[in-house]
Amino acid sequence: MAQRILLEWTPVAAQRPFKIGLNIPNGTGYMAQGIERWDQLLACARLAEDVGFDSVWVADHMLFRFPNETETQSRWECWSVLSGLAMATQRVEIGPLVSCMGFRNPAHLAKLAHTVDEMSNGRLVLAVGAGWHEPEFTSHGFPFDHRASRFEEGMTVLHELLRTGKSNFSGEYFHLIDGEVAPVGPRPTSIPIIGGTNGPRLLRITAQLADGWNTDWIGSPDVVPALRAAVDAACAEVGRDPATLRRSACVYIDLPTAKGRFPLPRVDERQPGPQSHQQIIENIHRYKEEGLDEIMLWPDPFTLESIEEVGMLLQQLDRDE
């Protein structure tokens, strides 16, 4: 197993100690909330940068097919979108939320990461996960078996290539002979790696090799303590100081005009429901108090006007500091 190499993580785009990012839908279907075309994605990202978000993120999914639903929801290819956002923005960090290890060989993923980091002048944050939605694996010919084991091996390869530039890893699923990534971007050995997971096995490898941890969509700060305890336990298990692992969460926020992201019967009980601006600000303060370093927001409704509305809340939060 690779030896952990810790980063002194000082992102180029950081504006505030507690960072706030924006998740941007990137496909078709009701979960995309009408953000389906590239010009719409681009407008959302540029506006997010203008109103003060610290980062913008896009999901790495191929499609969604849920039981009892006839509609297939599709997504634009994540890393192609990130390449476009790298050129179309100047300040915000950019990243996948999260890049599925099962969709790409980890050496290829390291190559993609260095390319996009070069294009963005050092603004990429590489968040990775194991994937969960079987239809998008089987529909594209990706193996769905042993996802945790594949993630563990893939994370080892990724860490070695992004921290040393070379790898000769040989495991059950991945074999590299004189593996090397070149050319490299402006941060040859320091692109941040985030493990997106809550599972015990993947938390351990995240604690061992990653620079940060991310949990998927939550709607209340009340759930953070239990998640934080699990991350701390994983750090203790591998002998890591928990304070050296950055913490982030994907967070639903429901603006006063929220109508729900998902139609019945796919109501997501994690959504908080419509809240006042003051309630949203208080909850964001609570996320910080619970030990998170960053939250990535998915507002409801998702419109350009909503991005501007949240931008005003960011100004209020900055005044509160």
Side-chain angles (χ1 to χ4, degrees):
M1 189 66 69
Q3 181 180 1
R4 180 173 71 250
I5 301 174
L6 293 178
L7 297 183
E8 187 66 31
W9 191 353
T10 53
V12 173
Q15 283 192 322
R16 50 182 68 89
F18 178 72
K19 297 195 299 176
I20 300 177
L22 179 69
N23 169 72
I24 301 177
N26 60 317
T28 64
Y30 55 78
M31 285 196 293
Q33 296 185 284
I35 311 298
E36 298 183 355
R37 312 306 304 185
W38 166 245
D39 61 344
Q40 294 173 299
L41 281 159
L42 181 59
C44 289
R46 285 176 165 166
L47 182 58
E49 184 167 63
D50 288 343
V51 302
F53 281 91
D54 296 293
S55 55
V56 294
W57 307 79
V58 292
D60 185 22
H61 284 288
M62 299 297 173
L63 54 78
F64 292 102
R65 289 176 180 157
F66 296 112
N68 304 318
E69 293 184 8
T70 58
E71 178 187 13
T72 294
Q73 304 190 59
S74 300
R75 294 291 178 266
W76 294 113
E77 199 283 317
C78 172
W79 283 92
S80 301
V81 172
L82 288 173
S83 297
L85 294 180
M87 299 301 294
T89 57
Q90 297 182 356
R91 176 189 57 80
V92 287
E93 291 182 325
I94 60 174
L97 205 59
V98 295
S99 188
C100 180
M101 193 72 79
F103 294 168
R104 300 165 193 86
N105 177 285
H108 181 217
L109 183 56
K111 172 71 77 173
L112 288 169
H114 271 300
T115 303
V116 173
D117 204 48
E118 169 73 7
M119 295 171 69
S120 67
N121 193 28
R123 291 183 287 125
L124 176 73
V125 178
L126 178 54
V128 291
W132 58 273
H133 189 56
E134 185 172 4
E136 64 183 333
F137 283 76
T138 55
S139 68
H140 284 70
F142 301 129
F144 191 67
D145 62 298
H146 302 98
R147 296 191 316 283
S149 296
R150 294 177 190 273
F151 181 87
E152 288 176 331
E153 288 194 9
M155 181 68 92
T156 303
V157 171
L158 192 64
H159 181 271
E160 290 179 352
L161 288 174
L162 292 185
R163 294 295 171 264
T164 71
K166 300 179 183 297
S167 176
N168 280 291
F169 179 86
S170 181
E172 185 173 355
Y173 304 102
F174 303 109
H175 306 272
L176 278 68
I177 300 173
D178 294 330
E180 183 176 3
V181 286
V184 295
R187 298 179 294 175
T189 60
S190 58
I191 295 173
I193 303 171
I194 294 178
T197 181
N198 292 326
R201 271 184 75 181
L202 302 195
L203 279 178
R204 284 194 297 273
I205 196 70
T206 294
Q208 183 170 4
L209 296 180
D211 308 295
W213 159 81
N214 175 264
T215 187
D216 66 358
W217 298 101
I218 61 176
S220 169
D222 294 338
V223 304
V224 176
L227 296 170
R228 185 181 64 238
V231 174
D232 290 346
C235 288
E237 187 173 348
V238 301
R240 178 172 186 168
D241 178 359
T244 65
L245 187 71
R246 291 177 62 87
R247 319 294 176 94
S248 63
C250 304
V251 171
Y252 287 141
I253 62 166
D254 290 353
L255 296 167
T257 55
K259 298 180 180 179
R261 290 170 191 78
F262 308 114
L264 293 173
R266 283 194 53 78
V267 174
D268 192 328
E269 295 180 352
R270 297 170 294 181
Q271 291 182 232
Q275 295 180 317
S276 69
H277 288 169
Q278 187 57 39
Q279 287 175 308
I280 292 171
I281 287 174
E282 289 173 357
N283 273 343
I284 291 176
H285 280 300
R286 287 187 58 202
Y287 283 116
K288 179 180 179 182
E289 292 165 359
E290 289 294 349
L292 296 180
D293 299 292
E294 181 172 11
I295 53 176
M296 298 79 160
L297 303 182
W298 185 353
D300 179 21
F302 199 110
T303 62
L304 292 177
E305 291 76 15
S306 296
I307 295 173
E308 290 181 326
E309 187 175 351
V310 178
M312 290 188 294
L313 300 184
L314 297 182
Q315 294 177 21
Q316 178 63 54
L317 287 161
D318 288 340
R319 289 192 293 269
D320 291 344
E321 289 296 328

